[in-house]
């Protein structure tokens, strides 16, 4: 099981009522994140679990290709190799280091890669895995990884961890009328305002799906638009041709990396906390209540 950590702690922050530590620090995202893990582990009993981390939430190589990528979420730019600062609610930003401390005390594996997003870590872990992979996320872009053949599915938490959907090949086809392998091209054409992807103006989900059904992939669609003898109708032809510059770079931005170098890690799910004394100290310091105890009990089986 691979967790899209930021996707989960954002949902915990906005979905769990505010709780304060003894020193006044908000800890609702910490508590909620732990309870999300408890529920998922109890329901699915994974043997291995990774919290995928955003070492760089807006990689420069993606911005170089498409400057609008996540631009609306930049709070402040930083020169050099350091990631730009993302606009995150201050009460949540203060909780992220606490989440990392608690995960370390539990011995739960956290994996990130400099210059890459958590999505890229997830893509690398899901590609060629020797065991089935469940990806937990609220991000539709990761539907591109779904593969019944390879044993990769998404547990989609957009409606909440307790009301998540199991995304398979059939689910993607039923929802969008495209195959998971076509999802990058589909998403590129449709666009995604939350990521600063403009899409092809005038091409929504239905048109994108119908073009992919007829021409197979984005390369085939662009070729058909450029061919005056093709069967593409004038309206989508004009729109595809007008968006040629965008379509040349956007698929690389949308596609998650699948073969990045990751530092060695052990994803084995622990049967007990790695450092019980540290976990107890953190739980008391931050007022985490019963959340650490619930996860400890779930890990013990």
């Amino acid at each position: 099981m691979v967790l899209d950590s930021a996707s989960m702690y954002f949902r915990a922050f906005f979905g769990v009522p505010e709780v304060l530590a003894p020193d006044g620090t908000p800890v609702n995202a910490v508590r909620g994140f732990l309870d999300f893990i408890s529920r998922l582990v109890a329901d699915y009993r994974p043997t291995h679990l990774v919290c995928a981390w955003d070492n760089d939430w807006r990689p420069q190589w993606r911005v170089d290709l498409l400057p609008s990528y996540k631009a609306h979420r930049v709070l402040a730019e930083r020169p050099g190799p350091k990631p730009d600062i993302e606009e995150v609610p201050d009460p949540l930003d203060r909780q992220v280091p606490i989440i990392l401390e608690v995960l370390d005390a539990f011995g739960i594996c956290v994996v990130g890669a400099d210059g890459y997003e958590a999505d890229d870590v997830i893509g690398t872990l899901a590609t060629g895995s020797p065991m089935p992979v469940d990806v937990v996320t609220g991000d539709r872009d990761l539907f591109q990884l779904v593969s019944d053949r390879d044993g990769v599915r998404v547990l989609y938490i957009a409606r909440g961890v307790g009301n998540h959907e199991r995304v398979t090949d059939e689910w993607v086809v039923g929802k969008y009328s495209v195959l998971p392998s076509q999802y990058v091209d589909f998403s590129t054409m449709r666009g995604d305002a939350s990521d600063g992807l403009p899409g092809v103006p005038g091409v929504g989900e239905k048109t994108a799906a119908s073009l992919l059904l007829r021409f197979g992939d984005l390369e085939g669609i662009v070729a058909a638009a450029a061919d005056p003898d093709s069967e593409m109708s004038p309206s989508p032809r004009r729109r595809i041709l007008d968006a040629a510059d965008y379509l040349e770079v956007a698929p690389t931005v949308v596609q998650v990396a699948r073969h990045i170098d990751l530092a060695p890690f052990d994803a084995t799910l622990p049967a007990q906390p790695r450092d019980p004394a540290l976990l107890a100290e953190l739980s008391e310091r931050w007022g985490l209540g019963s959340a650490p105890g619930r996860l400890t009990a779930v890990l013990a089986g």
Side-chain angles (χ1 to χ4, degrees):
M1 179 173 285
V2 187
L3 310 183
D4 183 354
S5 300
S7 178
M8 290 179 64
Y9 63 62
F10 265 91
R11 277 165 174 76
F13 174 73
F14 287 107
V16 176
E18 184 178 69
V19 182
L20 301 179
D23 70 352
T25 301
V27 292
N28 57 325
V30 185
R31 286 188 175 200
F33 190 75
L34 293 177
D35 281 339
F36 288 169
I37 296 176
S38 296
R39 180 159 194 163
L40 291 162
V41 171
D43 287 350
Y44 289 95
R45 290 293 168 190
T47 57
H48 297 72
L49 185 139
V50 171
C51 292
W53 213 258
D54 275 324
N55 281 22
D56 190 339
W57 67 279
R58 187 176 181 247
Q60 188 60 45
W61 59 271
R62 284 193 166 104
V63 177
D64 289 342
L65 291 168
L66 192 67
S68 66
Y69 182 65
K70 295 185 178 179
H72 60 295
R73 289 156 56 180
V74 176
L75 179 64
E77 294 184 353
R78 293 198 289 191
K82 290 187 177 181
D84 292 335
I85 299 173
E86 184 179 12
E87 186 174 11
V88 177
D90 180 66
L92 172 58
D93 196 43
R94 295 161 64 191
Q95 297 182 63
V96 175
I98 304 172
I99 292 172
L100 283 169
E101 285 184 307
V102 174
L103 291 174
D104 180 61
F106 267 109
I108 292 175
C109 181
V110 176
V111 178
D114 290 346
Y116 292 95
E117 301 176 53
D119 287 6
D120 302 310
V121 173
I122 294 168
T124 296
L125 294 174
T127 300
S129 171
M131 64 185 75
V133 178
D134 278 336
V135 174
V136 183
T137 185
D139 185 352
R140 295 181 298 175
D141 284 343
L142 290 173
F143 293 168
Q144 65 186 272
L145 298 175
V146 170
S147 172
D148 291 354
R149 181 191 64 191
D150 297 328
V152 179
R153 66 180 176 179
V154 165
L155 306 181
Y156 187 47
I157 60 170
R159 298 180 181 175
V161 172
N163 192 32
H164 65 266
E165 299 174 88
R166 297 180 181 92
V167 179
T168 61
D169 288 8
E170 182 180 9
W171 190 98
V172 174
V173 172
K175 180 74 171 178
Y176 299 110
S177 300
V178 299
L179 297 168
S181 59
Q182 297 173 305
Y183 194 84
V184 169
D185 293 346
F186 172 77
S187 182
T188 295
M189 288 187 285
R190 176 196 61 198
D192 188 340
S194 67
D195 281 341
L197 295 169
V200 177
V203 174
E205 290 190 353
K206 290 184 178 180
T207 301
S210 66
L211 289 171
L212 287 166
L213 178 64
R214 173 172 286 190
F215 301 107
D217 56 21
L218 188 55
E219 184 179 354
I221 292 168
V222 171
D227 179 2
D229 295 325
S230 74
E231 297 180 355
M232 185 178 290
S233 58
S235 178
R237 183 192 300 275
R238 183 183 68 256
R239 289 168 176 160
I240 294 295
L241 291 175
D242 288 347
D245 291 344
Y246 165 76
L247 293 174
E248 187 175 352
V249 298
T252 304
V253 175
V254 175
Q255 181 143 14
V256 302
R258 291 176 177 253
H259 302 287
I260 61 178
D261 291 330
L262 299 175
F265 62 89
D266 181 3
T268 304
L269 190 65
Q272 58 188 15
R274 180 189 63 80
D275 191 332
L278 175 60
L279 181 62
E281 190 273 322
L282 291 171
S283 183
E284 182 176 358
R285 187 203 313 171
W286 297 116
L288 300 183
S290 57
R294 281 193 290 272
L295 181 52
T296 299
V298 168
L299 294 176

